[in-house]
Amino acid sequence: MKKLLCAAGLGLALAASAAQAADKIAVVNVSNIFQQLPQRATVAKQLENEFKGRATDLQAQERAIQAQMQNLQRNGSTMKASERSSLEKDIMAKRQSFENKAQAFEQDNRRRQMEERNKILSNIQTAVKKVADDEGYDVVLDTNSVAYAANSKDITADVLKQVK
């Protein structure tokens, strides 16, 4: 009987503490904050300028390859076999070089975008932590990962003010 009473008391205490902890839960919409940040546009412009030269070079290289291919299609039937073969090999080599450069460009661009995105998200995370500490929240959940939250405080606006 003592064990049953002790277990019931412990269960009641746990239920009360869980209910008390539920009062200190907030939600934040991180993607909304990310979309509204002016730093995002600045970073996008910076990355565009960083990769502009390489993108222009790739476009010029692609146009040159297309011009050679059109030349081959127009004049291929009147060329000597050795000239045609040489031109085809040249086009294939340039095409392979272009594809390698384009792939490296895409990888570098994607890596830099992720680096900058992670910096911004880190700033948002710091702001979320500060707002949560200032307002005394124990748990802050992203609204995109919560199916339902009835009595939770949305601190998105407070975090957005903190990050800006």
Side-chain angles (χ1 to χ4, degrees):
M1 187 68 167
K2 271 187 174 179
K3 286 183 181 180
L4 184 60
L5 250 120
C6 188
L10 183 61
L12 189 58
L14 285 174
S17 76
Q20 187 178 24
D23 291 340
K24 299 192 185 235
I25 293 177
V27 293
V28 64
N29 191 335
V30 175
S31 62
N32 189 359
I33 293 170
F34 186 82
Q35 293 299 322
Q36 292 184 32
L37 284 179
Q39 296 100 313
R40 189 176 67 85
T42 305
V43 166
K45 192 72 168 166
Q46 175 189 353
L47 289 174
E48 181 182 323
N49 290 335
E50 184 177 325
F51 287 97
K52 188 181 235 175
R54 285 176 65 186
T56 303
D57 290 344
L58 283 171
Q59 289 170 347
Q61 190 176 1
E62 185 176 31
R63 282 192 299 274
I65 292 169
Q66 288 175 349
Q68 277 189 316
M69 289 174 67
Q70 288 173 351
N71 180 31
L72 179 64
Q73 287 175 347
R74 270 194 317 266
N75 303 324
S77 60
T78 60
M79 290 180 174
K80 292 181 186 176
S82 62
E83 287 179 356
R84 182 178 176 157
S85 175
S86 175
L87 185 57
E88 287 174 347
K89 286 179 184 177
D90 187 45
I91 290 172
M92 294 286 278
K94 287 181 179 177
R95 190 93 178 129
Q96 184 63 42
S97 173
F98 170 78
E99 288 174 4
N100 290 341
K101 287 180 182 178
Q103 186 178 17
F105 172 81
E106 286 297 322
Q107 288 174 348
D108 291 346
N109 191 0
R110 195 175 317 118
R111 179 187 49 80
R112 284 289 292 131
Q113 285 182 5
M114 288 300 294
E115 285 174 2
E116 295 301 326
R117 180 179 177 272
N118 288 341
K119 286 179 189 176
I120 293 172
L121 288 175
S122 177
N123 290 341
I124 293 171
Q125 182 63 33
T126 302
V128 168
K129 183 172 178 9
K130 181 167 179 7
V131 169
D133 288 344
D134 290 349
E135 296 184 20
Y137 291 106
D138 295 324
V139 177
V140 178
L141 303 170
D142 190 352
T143 55
N144 295 326
S145 63
V146 175
Y148 176 76
N151 296 325
S152 59
K153 167 88 165 95
D154 188 345
I155 61 171
T156 302
D158 298 333
V159 173
L160 187 57
K161 288 176 193 172
Q162 187 72 31
V163 175
K164 283 186 177 179

